[in-house]
Amino acid sequence: EVRVAFPQYELPMALLEKELPPFVAASWKRCAAAWELVGGDTPADLQPLLEQESFARFGGETLTLAEGARRGLREDPRTQGAEDLVDLMADAAEAQRMLKDVLAEGSHWSRAQLNDPEGVPHDAEARSWLSTGSDVAPNAVHHDPGVEDRHVAFEKAKRMQRRYEAKPTPSELTDLSRLTLTFFTAAVAASGLRRLFERFEVLWLDNHFRDPVPLGYRAMALGVRQHVSAQGDLLPTGQFQSIKRHHISEITVRLRPMRDVELNDETHSMQELRALLSRCGVLPQHLDGVLARVLASFAFTEGQALREADRELARVVKHFADNFKALGVEGQFLTEDLADELADHALISGLPQARIAEILLAVPNLNEKRAVRTRRVALVNEVAQRLARYVGVTFEDLFEALLSDLRELPRDA
């Protein structure tokens, strides 16, 4: 993962393997203790949260991730309606206002503009609002960190940019508009979750109560789609067309004991991890991107690896198809080679061959080239095995002898 996103770095794996596991284990231990407090005397209250499966959209249909995988489907891209960063920031501000208006209708907090961290510090009381039992998310602390800063958003988009892409893709940023809801008990959180489903169009839910994030923190992340008013093309009348386009916001659902651990632990932990990566030669502007990928490896399940391999292969193939002429001959060869490499990686990850072949249809003749190479490798293996049986030596001995002969061949000056 790091090599694909940051090919300029060769991280010292021996150092990371020594330093990271104890650090992650200590964080998990602290989070486990907080999780015990969440259950308390009524662990049954946790069951609705633990039984809620993560879900997403597959071809426009809402399915659990397990069901999507069973059907061999690829998750719909999590992308915004706007593509330009300026438009995205304007949409995010409107989506933030709409979210707060639904959750805290008529309150001073819902009308407050909290996008300036200098005017309203991140820990200011004005950023939080406690709901009542009759509100959409009952008896929860609603926290508005403000819409993401434009420069920070651009840096995030750059970190997500693949090495073969000419420019970042800001439309992939789904956390420009965001809110955090902290519930005091699991039972109230389960009730609040049901109400959120009723009031919002939830495109996806990542349940980290059930599957904790790499450092052990537990929460839920919901992708909520709303439609915002935007400015369209200039009309002959001299006025701009009014249009609607979707914008996705993220709502994080937390429980109070877990939130306390994160607030007390996360800042210090992240500083230590960044210091470790700095010692490994990672530049400051790349620390967050490299850190995210290193940590993700600790919680990378087979299902996640499969989905990631599918997404990355589909992404590079789409890039090839969308930019075929602009790439030129050399760029086409390089992108085809990368698609071939990612296809091999997807095959190792367990993605079905039929699915890989379907994705590669957009790259002319690549399926045929891969089929010829597979037959060639199979033929060479068969010949090697027959030769080994004929002369009475093992394949390993034969291979070592071949390498020795190659080293003795004359070389060009």
Side-chain angles (χ1 to χ4, degrees):
E1 285 297 305
V2 175
R3 184 178 65 82
V4 170
F6 301 95
Q8 66 270 45
Y9 295 125
E10 288 290 339
L11 297 181
M13 294 307 299
L15 177 61
L16 293 178
E17 289 172 357
K18 176 184 177 182
E19 298 280 349
L20 281 176
F23 181 89
V24 173
S27 180
W28 268 83
K29 185 176 180 179
R30 290 190 292 270
C31 290
W35 188 243
E36 289 294 324
L37 294 177
V38 171
D41 297 327
T42 55
D45 288 345
L46 291 174
Q47 287 307 114
L49 298 179
L50 295 175
E51 291 172 357
Q52 173 63 59
E53 293 192 58
S54 297
F55 62 78
R57 294 288 178 91
F58 296 83
E61 183 181 2
T62 300
L63 300 171
T64 65
L65 299 186
E67 178 62 18
R70 190 189 68 79
R71 297 188 191 182
L73 302 175
R74 181 162 57 92
E75 182 183 335
D76 295 350
R78 300 182 179 186
T79 53
Q80 303 285 15
E83 298 182 356
D84 179 78
L85 185 58
V86 174
D87 292 337
L88 272 174
M89 298 308 301
D91 290 358
E94 175 68 7
Q96 189 84 341
R97 184 196 62 76
M98 294 168 64
L99 273 182
K100 293 169 65 176
D101 193 47
V102 172
L103 292 168
E105 184 178 3
S107 69
H108 175 73
W109 178 79
S110 71
R111 298 189 298 270
Q113 298 290 327
L114 302 172
N115 301 327
D116 179 11
E118 294 184 2
V120 185
H122 287 298
D123 58 353
E125 290 186 6
R127 291 191 175 276
S128 297
W129 172 77
L130 178 61
S131 61
T132 68
S134 61
D135 290 306
V136 174
N139 302 316
V141 176
H142 294 51
H143 182 74
D144 177 6
V147 171
E148 186 67 274
D149 177 78
R150 178 179 173 182
H151 298 290
V152 174
F154 181 69
E155 289 301 317
K156 281 186 177 181
K158 284 175 62 178
R159 290 199 299 270
M160 296 170 70
Q161 180 183 357
R162 305 309 191 266
R163 70 178 187 263
Y164 54 83
E165 295 172 337
K167 59 182 181 180
T169 311
S171 61
E172 294 180 325
L173 300 174
T174 59
D175 60 351
L176 301 180
S177 162
R178 63 271 171 92
L179 294 174
T180 298
L181 311 182
T182 301
F183 293 88
F184 293 89
T185 69
V188 176
S191 173
L193 189 63
R194 289 193 297 271
R195 296 192 192 183
L196 290 174
F197 290 158
E198 293 170 359
R199 295 300 297 273
F200 293 107
E201 182 187 12
V202 180
L203 296 182
W204 72 80
L205 181 146
D206 296 327
N207 188 358
H208 298 300
F209 288 132
R210 181 179 176 132
D211 302 305
V213 299
L215 290 179
Y217 305 134
R218 295 178 187 251
M220 273 188 185
L222 285 69
V224 173
R225 180 165 64 184
Q226 301 176 102
H227 290 85
V228 301
S229 299
Q231 194 177 75
D233 297 331
L234 182 64
L235 299 173
T237 60
Q239 295 179 321
F240 284 96
Q241 181 184 19
S242 178
I243 61 173
K244 289 281 189 180
R245 62 175 170 236
H246 79 264
H247 187 87
I248 300 170
S249 306
E250 292 195 4
I251 297 179
T252 301
V253 174
R254 290 176 173 168
L255 295 171
R256 185 58 181 265
M258 297 304 301
R259 174 183 175 274
D260 291 344
V261 169
E262 291 188 45
L263 290 178
N264 296 330
D265 187 63
E266 190 171 19
T267 300
H268 178 68
S269 299
M270 290 300 134
Q271 287 175 347
E272 286 190 7
L273 288 173
R274 289 188 181 93
L276 172 61
L277 291 176
S278 293
R279 296 198 299 274
C280 295
V282 179
L283 296 176
Q285 62 268 32
H286 298 146
L287 282 175
D288 287 340
V290 174
L291 179 58
R293 286 167 173 81
V294 170
L295 287 178
S297 67
F298 282 87
F300 218 48
T301 64
E302 290 184 4
Q304 288 172 318
L306 198 65
R307 291 191 294 273
E308 186 68 17
D310 190 303
R311 279 196 294 265
E312 288 300 322
L313 180 58
R315 181 174 184 138
V316 72
V317 168
K318 184 177 186 303
H319 174 78
F320 182 93
D322 292 347
N323 301 277
F324 184 78
K325 292 183 179 179
L327 286 171
V329 175
E330 182 178 359
Q332 291 167 12
F333 277 122
L334 290 174
T335 308
E336 180 182 309
D337 285 345
L338 181 58
D340 191 25
E341 177 186 341
L342 290 175
D344 288 339
H345 173 71
L347 197 60
I348 294 172
S349 298
L351 198 64
Q353 177 60 50
R355 172 62 184 159
I356 294 173
E358 177 188 353
I359 297 174
L360 293 180
L361 286 175
V363 183
N365 302 319
L366 183 53
N367 276 324
E368 289 77 6
K369 293 177 183 178
R370 289 174 58 82
V372 169
R373 186 181 65 199
T374 299
R375 289 196 296 270
R376 186 184 299 139
V377 170
L379 180 60
V380 170
N381 285 338
E382 182 181 351
V383 170
Q385 290 172 7
R386 289 188 179 186
L387 286 174
R389 288 196 299 270
Y390 178 74
V391 298
V393 297
T394 65
F395 177 76
E396 287 77 10
D397 293 336
L398 183 65
F399 188 61
E400 287 296 330
L402 176 61
L403 292 179
S404 177
D405 291 342
L406 289 175
R407 285 193 289 269
E408 299 299 323
L409 291 175
R411 303 179 181 178
D412 293 336

